Amino acid sequence: MATTPRYIGATVDDAVAYVRASIESDVWFQVFDSDRDGTIGSGSTDETEFVRAVCRAETKVDEILGAAYGAPWTESEFATLPAGTRDAVRECALEMLPWERVKFRPSMSDERKAPYRVLWKDAQARLTKLATDDNARLPDLGPPAPTMDAGEAVVDTASTALEYTNLCAGVIKGF
């Protein structure tokens, strides 16, 4: 498992800032302030557990998107992904994060008592949907537009390259 955040933030401080800006304060403290001292300080046990949870969530993202998109990505590879892809990955990891932090707490052993498990499942479903599409689009043009011919939809491929590109991984696939 990784030991440094990669997608939620490039550093621990970036990850903390992103999560704090994304969730409500009471949720932040409820999930990440284990010792209930009102802070999650640099170098504290709370921060260590936060980083572990971030890394577990990001590893789940890698497991789901690995075959389709070439995850895990290095920091520089992640930075070169289209902004929408980066945002989707970041959002899914964020949604998985609270469950990854609290799932080992005895009070979370029953799914009805584990509200963050639903967010985790939603993010997992979204990532699975992204992975199964495999981003197989024609480069620059998108899929060919259908045309009508005697009432049937016919795809005009005469002027369209018959290669697909996985835009995230830069892999070209031929027919």
Side-chain angles (χ1 to χ4, degrees), residues 3-25 27-29 31-33 38-55 58 90 93-94 97 101:
T3 57
T4 306
R6 296 168 289 136
Y7 308 148
I8 289 181
T11 66
V12 173
D13 290 339
D14 289 346
V16 167
Y18 176 74
V19 174
R20 296 248 5 214
S22 301
I23 64 175
E24 296 179 12
S25 287
V27 173
W28 167 255
F29 287 110
V31 172
F32 300 107
D33 185 12
T39 64
I40 300 170
S42 180
S44 68
T45 302
D46 289 337
E47 183 186 70
T48 300
E49 291 304 317
F50 169 79
V51 171
R52 287 180 182 158
V54 168
C55 292
E58 292 176 344
R90 205 173 278 126
L94 172 69
L97 178 59
R101 177 61 190 103

XYZ file of all heavy atoms in Angstrom, residues 3-25 27-29 31-33 38-55 58 90 93-94 97 101:
408
model
N 2.073 5.015 0.873
C 2.145 5.698 2.168
C 2.051 7.213 2.032
O 2.139 7.932 3.016
C 3.465 5.342 2.890
O 4.559 5.692 2.035
C 3.514 3.866 3.242
N 1.867 7.681 0.812
C 1.732 9.111 0.540
C 0.524 9.319 -0.366
O 0.367 8.602 -1.347
C 2.990 9.642 -0.175
O 4.139 9.304 0.606
C 2.926 11.145 -0.351
N -0.316 10.292 -0.069
C -1.451 10.580 -0.954
C -0.975 10.904 -2.371
O 0.087 11.495 -2.557
C -2.119 11.798 -0.315
C -1.692 11.770 1.109
C -0.309 11.174 1.097
N -1.766 10.495 -3.369
C -1.398 10.740 -4.757
C -2.502 11.453 -5.527
O -2.224 12.297 -6.354
C -1.098 9.412 -5.467
C 0.101 8.690 -4.897
C 0.199 7.264 -5.407
N -0.876 6.475 -4.786
C -1.637 5.612 -5.445
N -1.469 5.389 -6.713
N -2.577 4.942 -4.819
N -3.743 11.112 -5.283
C -4.844 11.650 -6.085
C -5.629 12.726 -5.331
O -5.981 13.743 -5.903
C -5.798 10.537 -6.509
C -5.123 9.363 -7.172
C -5.610 8.083 -7.035
C -3.972 9.527 -7.951
C -5.007 6.999 -7.646
C -3.347 8.452 -8.563
C -3.873 7.185 -8.399
O -3.265 6.122 -8.995
N -5.907 12.491 -4.062
C -6.646 13.481 -3.277
C -5.799 14.722 -3.081
O -6.303 15.833 -3.027
C -7.116 12.864 -1.943
C -8.240 11.864 -2.233
C -7.578 13.926 -0.976
C -8.817 11.190 -1.015
N -4.504 14.543 -3.011
C -3.557 15.643 -2.895
C -2.158 15.099 -3.089
O -1.899 13.939 -2.780
N -1.260 15.912 -3.593
C 0.110 15.461 -3.835
C 0.911 15.371 -2.542
O 1.906 14.664 -2.470
C 0.805 16.394 -4.818
N 0.460 16.084 -1.512
C 1.100 16.037 -0.201
C 0.013 15.823 0.846
O -1.180 15.963 0.554
C 1.836 17.351 0.119
O 0.854 18.402 0.240
C 2.853 17.708 -0.955
N 0.421 15.531 2.060
C -0.540 15.363 3.144
C -1.304 16.669 3.361
O -2.534 16.663 3.505
C 0.163 14.910 4.445
C -0.815 14.897 5.606
C 0.795 13.538 4.255
N -0.597 17.797 3.340
C -1.266 19.093 3.528
C -2.290 19.362 2.429
O -3.380 19.867 2.701
C -0.247 20.230 3.592
C 0.577 20.207 4.870
O 0.136 19.587 5.870
O 1.673 20.798 4.870
N -1.944 19.024 1.179
C -2.891 19.190 0.069
C -4.120 18.305 0.267
O -5.252 18.733 0.026
C -2.245 18.824 -1.272
C -1.201 19.820 -1.733
O -1.138 20.936 -1.170
O -0.430 19.467 -2.652
N -3.887 17.069 0.688
C -4.995 16.130 0.901
C -5.909 16.624 2.024
O -7.136 16.602 1.885
C -4.453 14.740 1.211
N -5.309 17.078 3.118
C -6.097 17.607 4.232
C -6.924 18.802 3.763
O -8.124 18.891 4.038
C -5.187 17.996 5.425
C -5.945 18.830 6.452
C -4.605 16.749 6.077
N -6.310 19.711 3.028
C -7.025 20.908 2.552
C -8.180 20.530 1.631
O -9.276 21.089 1.750
C -6.051 21.838 1.830
N -7.954 19.574 0.729
C -9.012 19.158 -0.204
C -10.180 18.529 0.550
O -11.341 18.854 0.296
C -8.448 18.183 -1.242
C -9.499 17.638 -2.181
C -10.034 18.440 -3.183
C -9.964 16.342 -2.062
C -11.007 17.958 -4.048
C -10.930 15.849 -2.910
C -11.451 16.647 -3.897
O -12.426 16.167 -4.746
N -9.876 17.630 1.470
C -10.940 16.953 2.209
C -11.683 17.936 3.095
O -12.915 17.938 3.132
C -10.383 15.762 3.022
C -11.458 15.144 3.901
C -9.792 14.710 2.075
N -10.961 18.799 3.796
C -11.619 19.784 4.666
C -12.528 20.714 3.876
O -13.578 21.114 4.356
C -10.579 20.629 5.423
C -9.748 19.818 6.361
C -9.876 19.986 7.807
N -10.834 20.828 8.432
C -10.595 21.478 9.537
N -9.397 21.448 10.071
N -11.530 22.176 10.122
N -12.121 21.056 2.656
C -12.950 21.930 1.818
C -14.147 21.191 1.228
O -15.113 21.823 0.799
C -12.102 22.524 0.697
N -14.087 19.870 1.232
C -15.119 19.070 0.567
C -16.188 18.523 1.494
O -17.280 18.194 1.039
C -14.464 17.895 -0.163
O -13.543 18.355 -1.117
N -15.880 18.379 2.769
C -16.857 17.816 3.699
C -17.118 18.802 4.831
O -16.333 19.710 5.078
C -16.401 16.443 4.265
C -15.138 16.573 5.108
C -16.196 15.440 3.153
C -14.720 15.277 5.788
N -18.218 18.597 5.516
C -18.577 19.479 6.622
C -17.643 19.270 7.807
O -17.135 18.176 8.031
C -20.025 19.210 7.036
C -21.019 19.541 5.942
C -22.451 19.246 6.344
O -22.709 18.997 7.529
O -23.307 19.272 5.449
N -17.455 20.327 8.585
C -16.530 20.276 9.722
C -16.891 19.194 10.725
O -16.008 18.490 11.232
C -16.486 21.621 10.447
O -15.781 22.544 9.672
N -18.381 16.385 10.228
C -18.019 15.080 9.658
C -16.508 14.906 9.703
O -16.001 13.832 10.049
C -18.547 14.934 8.214
C -18.040 13.657 7.565
C -20.067 14.989 8.193
N -15.769 15.960 9.365
C -14.306 15.908 9.408
C -13.821 15.446 10.786
O -13.029 14.512 10.904
C -13.733 17.282 9.054
C -12.278 17.455 9.345
C -11.738 18.157 10.382
C -11.173 16.923 8.615
N -10.363 18.097 10.336
C -9.994 17.345 9.260
C -11.063 16.138 7.480
C -8.726 17.001 8.816
C -9.795 15.799 7.026
C -8.647 16.225 7.686
N -14.324 16.092 11.837
C -13.871 15.742 13.178
C -14.415 14.386 13.633
O -13.720 13.624 14.295
C -14.224 16.845 14.177
C -13.361 18.058 14.010
C -13.878 19.239 13.503
C -12.008 18.013 14.340
C -13.067 20.350 13.335
C -11.186 19.126 14.176
C -11.726 20.289 13.665
N -15.034 11.762 11.838
C -14.351 10.663 11.154
C -12.852 10.638 11.459
O -12.283 9.575 11.708
C -14.585 10.750 9.628
C -13.740 9.735 8.885
C -16.061 10.550 9.307
N -12.207 11.777 11.450
C -10.742 11.802 11.485
C -10.118 12.197 12.824
O -8.918 12.010 13.009
C -10.213 12.705 10.366
C -10.624 12.231 9.009
C -11.597 12.903 8.280
C -10.078 11.078 8.464
C -11.997 12.449 7.034
C -10.465 10.616 7.224
C -11.431 11.301 6.502
N -10.887 12.732 13.763
C -10.341 13.118 15.065
C -10.615 12.004 16.074
O -11.508 12.097 16.905
C -10.958 14.440 15.522
C -10.345 14.962 16.809
O -9.296 14.441 17.233
O -10.937 15.878 17.396
N -10.135 17.784 19.205
C -10.534 18.947 18.410
C -9.530 19.367 17.357
O -9.724 20.374 16.681
N -8.454 18.613 17.204
C -7.458 18.943 16.193
C -6.977 17.673 15.498
O -7.063 16.575 16.049
C -6.223 19.648 16.802
O -5.574 18.743 17.686
C -6.608 20.916 17.527
N -6.480 17.873 14.312
C -5.808 16.801 13.575
C -4.490 17.416 13.140
O -4.361 17.951 12.047
C -6.662 16.310 12.390
C -7.983 15.773 12.938
C -5.916 15.237 11.596
C -9.017 15.474 11.916
N -3.548 17.388 14.050
C -2.304 18.098 13.860
C -1.281 17.342 13.037
O -1.331 16.113 12.904
N -0.356 18.093 12.505
C 0.737 17.530 11.722
C 1.560 16.585 12.587
O 1.954 16.930 13.702
C 1.609 18.669 11.185
O 2.666 18.139 10.438
N 1.781 15.383 12.096
C 2.565 14.396 12.816
C 1.797 13.637 13.881
O 2.350 12.772 14.548
N 0.516 13.945 14.055
C -0.284 13.282 15.087
C -0.740 11.903 14.625
O -0.679 11.562 13.438
C -1.512 14.134 15.425
O -2.406 14.148 14.318
N -1.222 11.128 15.580
C -1.794 9.821 15.255
C -2.995 10.001 14.329
O -3.191 9.205 13.402
C -2.221 9.089 16.546
O -1.074 8.955 17.385
C -2.789 7.728 16.235
N -3.796 11.034 14.561
C -4.944 11.300 13.690
C -4.493 11.519 12.254
O -5.103 10.997 11.314
C -5.727 12.534 14.169
C -6.488 12.280 15.464
O -6.788 11.110 15.769
O -6.787 13.265 16.155
N -3.441 12.292 12.064
C -2.948 12.539 10.707
C -2.413 11.249 10.081
O -2.667 10.985 8.900
C -1.851 13.598 10.705
C -1.383 13.924 9.289
C -0.200 14.867 9.264
O 0.902 14.439 9.657
O -0.398 16.029 8.858
N -1.724 10.441 10.851
C -1.217 9.166 10.344
C -2.367 8.282 9.873
O -2.306 7.687 8.795
C -0.396 8.438 11.432
O 0.698 9.277 11.806
C 0.114 7.102 10.943
N -3.423 8.209 10.671
C -4.585 7.390 10.297
C -5.313 7.988 9.090
O -5.839 7.254 8.245
C -5.530 7.227 11.483
C -4.946 6.365 12.585
C -4.523 4.983 12.090
O -5.262 4.355 11.311
O -3.427 4.540 12.481
N -5.350 9.303 8.999
C -5.931 9.969 7.825
C -5.172 9.545 6.564
O -5.771 9.154 5.568
C -5.866 11.494 8.004
C -6.196 12.273 6.765
C -7.512 12.463 6.372
C -5.188 12.813 5.975
C -7.819 13.177 5.215
C -5.484 13.531 4.820
C -6.800 13.711 4.440
N -3.849 9.611 6.616
C -3.029 9.243 5.451
C -3.246 7.784 5.082
O -3.375 7.449 3.903
C -1.540 9.547 5.710
C -0.658 8.969 4.612
C -1.326 11.051 5.828
N -3.299 6.915 6.062
C -3.547 5.497 5.776
C -4.887 5.299 5.084
O -4.995 4.517 4.142
C -3.490 4.676 7.066
C -2.093 4.508 7.599
C -2.088 3.695 8.873
N -0.731 3.597 9.392
C -0.445 3.341 10.645
N -1.405 3.144 11.531
N 0.812 3.264 11.036
N -5.916 6.007 5.546
C -7.233 5.892 4.932
C -7.221 6.436 3.499
O -7.822 5.844 2.596
C -8.276 6.626 5.773
N -6.541 7.560 3.289
C -6.417 8.116 1.935
C -5.743 7.099 1.023
O -6.209 6.830 -0.091
C -5.629 9.447 1.939
C -5.240 9.865 0.530
C -6.429 10.551 2.615
N -4.664 6.507 1.491
C -3.926 5.544 0.671
C -4.755 4.297 0.389
O -4.706 3.758 -0.724
C -2.596 5.189 1.336
S -1.439 6.582 1.352
N -7.271 5.355 -2.302
C -6.607 5.497 -3.600
C -6.188 4.141 -4.162
O -6.240 3.932 -5.383
C -5.412 6.445 -3.468
C -5.845 7.873 -3.198
C -4.695 8.834 -2.970
O -3.550 8.399 -2.725
O -4.945 10.053 -3.042
N -10.492 11.875 -8.125
C -10.387 12.570 -6.832
C -11.709 12.483 -6.055
O -11.722 12.195 -4.857
C -10.011 14.029 -7.086
C -9.314 14.695 -5.957
C -8.822 16.091 -6.317
N -7.555 16.011 -7.020
C -7.307 16.569 -8.204
N -8.217 17.258 -8.830
N -6.120 16.449 -8.757
N -12.281 8.869 -4.792
C -11.412 8.584 -3.649
C -11.923 9.309 -2.400
O -11.929 8.739 -1.297
C -9.974 8.989 -3.959
N -12.375 10.555 -2.572
C -12.943 11.311 -1.458
C -14.162 10.600 -0.882
O -14.314 10.488 0.336
C -13.319 12.722 -1.907
C -14.102 13.565 -0.903
C -13.217 13.935 0.278
C -14.658 14.807 -1.572
N -13.120 7.620 1.162
C -12.254 7.931 2.292
C -12.900 7.756 3.671
O -12.303 7.098 4.537
C -11.682 9.345 2.130
C -10.788 9.864 3.235
C -9.579 8.960 3.420
C -10.353 11.293 2.911
N -11.602 5.049 6.636
C -11.112 5.480 7.951
C -11.843 4.795 9.092
O -11.235 4.433 10.097
C -11.217 7.004 8.092
C -10.809 7.532 9.443
C -9.351 7.203 9.765
N -9.038 7.511 11.140
C -8.923 6.613 12.113
N -9.090 5.335 11.867
N -8.642 6.989 13.340
